């Protein structure tokens, strides 16, 4: 099957081309030259009053009596922050009502973004959209050199959208600088995260030994300054490959954790498969289907109960499932209805 990272992490700009994907025919030197010409127009690299206020805004917000500090990253336009993405925010706040969520996003740190989030803000939930400042996020980390090399045209950005790479980088840097929980925007959050510390979840386990094989970076829980985050950032910067899907994301986490995960003092927890990825991208289609028989209805009941008891969240693999219809009575429909706040009827879009 097609690589899941390729499917899932592509930026979804609709009919508007992703400005951070180079023309496919360019080779290394051509991509570097292309990027240099594009750099002045790429908003994510620009310094503005809003971006320069990033650190102060996050610090001020994080002292707002947060039970847990959550982060999400949204580098796409606000117009495609769809109901499925809003669902992740909604279920997060339902399961963790006394927590704070920072949405790292230039496009959501706008009037349009405020309008999107207003229904939850009006209910008193602590959510802040804030424009990222790449320079301050990577300052005094191994990734600082990488960012300079990319901007100076000394590093091949690769053929994959740089948005994907920046998302992989930002989640690591923000946890290293501030600590907390990072989540992708394609989760149904099912439980309170209280009690989780310095934890990663696997997306694949060995069927014979039940030991983890591949980790995923869609959900990360770390204390501020945790040493393995430094290791991740160093690996990202030194082995960066913008031409191989997942190399700087899940596979990077997997490489580093295999190498240093048992280091004394790291106190790293590798959770079970059920924590965040109880179903993979091949199997998940069944979770959207309405049960047609008594046996299927029993399976839905058992699955909903098991997920509610064992999983912190269900990763939806949005790149694959975004266009799936959520059938009434399906596992996904049942979970949404029991974990939503506003409970809109538009999660199919």
């Amino acid at each position: 099957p097609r690589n899941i990272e390729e499917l899932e992490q592509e930026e979804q700009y609709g009919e508007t081309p992703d400005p951070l994907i180079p023309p496919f025919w360019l080779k290394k030197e051509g991509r570097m030259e292309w990027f240099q010409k594009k750099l002045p127009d790429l908003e994510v690299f620009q310094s503005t009053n809003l971006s320069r206020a990033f650190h102060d805004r996050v610090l001020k917000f994080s002292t707002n009596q947060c039970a847990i500090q959550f982060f999400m990253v949204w580098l796409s336009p606000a117009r495609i922050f769809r109901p499925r993405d809003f669902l992740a925010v909604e279920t997060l706040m339902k399961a963790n009502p006394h927590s704070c969520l920072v949405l790292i996003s230039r496009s959501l740190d706008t009037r349009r973004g405020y309008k999107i989030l207003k229904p939850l803000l009006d209910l008193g939930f602590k959510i802040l959209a804030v424009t990222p400042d790449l320079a301050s996020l990577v300052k005094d980390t191994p990734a600082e050199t990488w960012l300079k090399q990319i901007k100076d045209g000394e590093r091949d950005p690769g053929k994959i959208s740089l948005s994907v790479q920046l998302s992989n980088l930002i989640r690591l840097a923000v946890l290293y600088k501030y600590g907390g929980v990072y989540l992708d925007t394609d989760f149904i959050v099912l439980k309170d995260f209280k009690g989780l510390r310095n934890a990663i979840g696997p997306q694949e386990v060995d069927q014979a030994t039940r030991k983890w094989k591949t980790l995923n970076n869609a959900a990360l829980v770390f204390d501020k300054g945790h040493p393995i985050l430094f290791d991740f950032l160093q690996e990202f910067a030194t082995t960066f490959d913008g031409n191989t899907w997942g190399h700087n994301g899940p596979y990077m986490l997997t490489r580093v954790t295999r190498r240093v995960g048992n280091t004394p003092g790291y106190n790293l927890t590798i959770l079970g498969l059920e924590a965040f990825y109880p179903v993979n991208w091949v199997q998940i289609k069944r979770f959207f289907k309405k049960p047609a028989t008594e046996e299927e209805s029993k399976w839905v009941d058992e699955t909903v109960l098991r997920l509610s008891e064992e999983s912190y969240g269900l990763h939806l693999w949005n790149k694959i499932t975004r266009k799936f219809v959520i059938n009434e009575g399906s596992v996904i429909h049942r979970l949404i209805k029991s974990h939503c706040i506003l409970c809109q009827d538009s999660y199919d879009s």
Side-chain angles (χ1 to χ4, degrees):
R2 194 176 172 198
N3 191 305
I4 184 59
E5 284 78 26
E6 180 176 356
L7 286 168
E8 191 190 27
Q9 294 186 27
E10 287 173 346
E11 286 302 299
Q12 300 179 30
Y13 278 77
E15 296 177 359
T16 305
D18 182 343
L20 290 175
I21 296 180
F24 69 90
W25 62 82
L26 292 178
K27 302 302 181 183
K28 177 180 177 180
E29 297 300 327
R31 285 193 296 265
M32 293 166 71
E33 183 179 347
W34 169 87
F35 183 74
Q36 283 298 291
K37 291 179 180 178
K38 294 277 290 186
L39 186 59
D41 299 322
L42 297 176
E43 291 185 344
V44 70
F45 291 97
Q46 294 173 3
S47 178
T48 66
N49 289 336
L50 275 178
S51 68
R52 287 189 291 271
F54 175 84
H55 178 68
D56 290 340
R57 293 176 71 193
V58 171
L59 281 186
K60 182 178 180 180
F61 182 71
S62 298
T63 58
N64 192 20
Q65 296 182 332
C66 305
I68 305 173
Q69 178 64 71
F70 286 88
F71 295 94
M72 292 180 177
V73 175
W74 185 262
L75 300 182
S76 301
R79 64 179 173 78
I80 58 170
F81 192 85
R82 298 186 177 97
R84 293 272 185 98
D85 306 298
F86 186 86
L87 175 64
V89 177
E90 182 176 359
T91 57
L92 169 60
M93 303 317 296
K94 173 71 174 288
N96 300 266
H98 302 296
S99 297
C100 298
L101 170 63
V102 172
L103 273 162
I104 301 173
S105 172
R106 179 182 293 264
S107 67
L108 293 176
D109 191 10
T110 58
R111 289 182 180 179
R112 183 169 190 164
Y114 176 77
K115 184 177 180 180
I116 291 171
L117 300 172
K118 190 175 185 298
L120 291 175
L121 294 173
D122 286 347
L123 293 175
F125 292 108
K126 301 168 186 174
I127 305 169
L128 174 71
V130 58
T131 300
D133 181 23
L134 290 178
S136 70
L137 274 171
V138 302
K139 186 174 175 57
D140 299 324
T141 79
E144 187 174 13
T145 300
W146 175 86
L147 181 61
K148 184 178 186 304
Q149 290 172 338
I150 284 287
K151 294 173 71 173
D152 290 347
E154 298 172 358
R155 199 75 177 261
D156 178 14
K159 64 184 179 181
I160 300 167
S161 172
L162 202 58
S163 298
V164 173
Q165 319 300 356
L166 292 176
S167 176
N168 287 330
L169 173 60
I170 289 171
R171 69 190 69 183
L172 299 175
V174 78
L175 290 182
Y176 184 69
K177 290 291 181 74
Y178 304 103
V181 180
Y182 168 81
L183 282 180
D184 273 357
T185 59
D186 56 348
F187 271 97
I188 298 176
V189 180
L190 304 175
K191 287 201 314 190
D192 192 321
F193 279 52
K194 187 165 55 177
L196 282 182
R197 280 191 68 192
N198 304 321
I200 314 175
Q203 71 175 30
E204 184 182 13
V205 298
D206 185 285
Q207 294 302 313
T209 65
R210 303 308 297 171
K211 293 183 178 180
W212 65 270
K213 291 175 63 177
T214 308
L215 302 176
N216 195 295
N217 64 342
L220 303 168
V221 185
F222 281 102
D223 294 341
K224 175 182 176 180
H226 192 282
I228 203 170
L229 290 171
F230 185 91
D231 296 331
F232 290 152
L233 288 164
Q234 190 166 51
E235 180 80 2
F236 180 97
T238 56
T239 71
F240 179 80
D241 179 355
N243 298 304
T244 304
W245 285 103
H247 179 85
N248 314 302
Y251 302 142
M252 183 273 291
L253 261 67
T254 302
R255 292 193 305 273
V256 173
T257 304
R258 287 195 186 283
R259 192 166 68 235
V260 304
N262 292 323
T263 301
Y266 275 33
N267 299 321
L268 181 66
T269 299
I270 307 298
L271 301 167
L273 195 66
E274 70 281 353
F276 297 114
Y277 315 102
V279 59
N280 65 33
W281 56 92
V282 177
Q283 303 163 333
I284 197 168
K285 187 173 184 178
R286 184 183 184 188
F287 284 55
F288 287 77
K289 291 183 176 180
K290 180 178 181 178
T293 66
E294 185 175 336
E295 183 179 355
E296 289 179 358
S297 294
K298 182 180 179 182
W299 174 82
V300 168
D301 290 340
E302 292 173 347
T303 302
V304 168
L305 179 61
R306 175 174 58 84
L307 292 175
S308 298
E309 291 179 346
E310 299 179 358
S311 298
Y312 288 94
L314 174 63
H315 192 232
L316 295 180
W317 311 102
N318 255 6
K319 185 59 180 177
I320 293 174
T321 66
R322 185 175 289 274
K323 295 183 179 180
F324 287 5
V325 174
I326 302 173
N327 286 293
E328 187 174 357
S330 66
V331 171
I332 301 298
H333 180 263
R334 292 265 304 272
L335 289 175
I336 290 174
K337 290 301 182 185
S338 59
H339 293 86
C340 62
I341 298 171
L342 302 173
C343 302
Q344 305 173 32
D345 295 323
S346 55
Y347 291 119
D348 287 342
S349 57

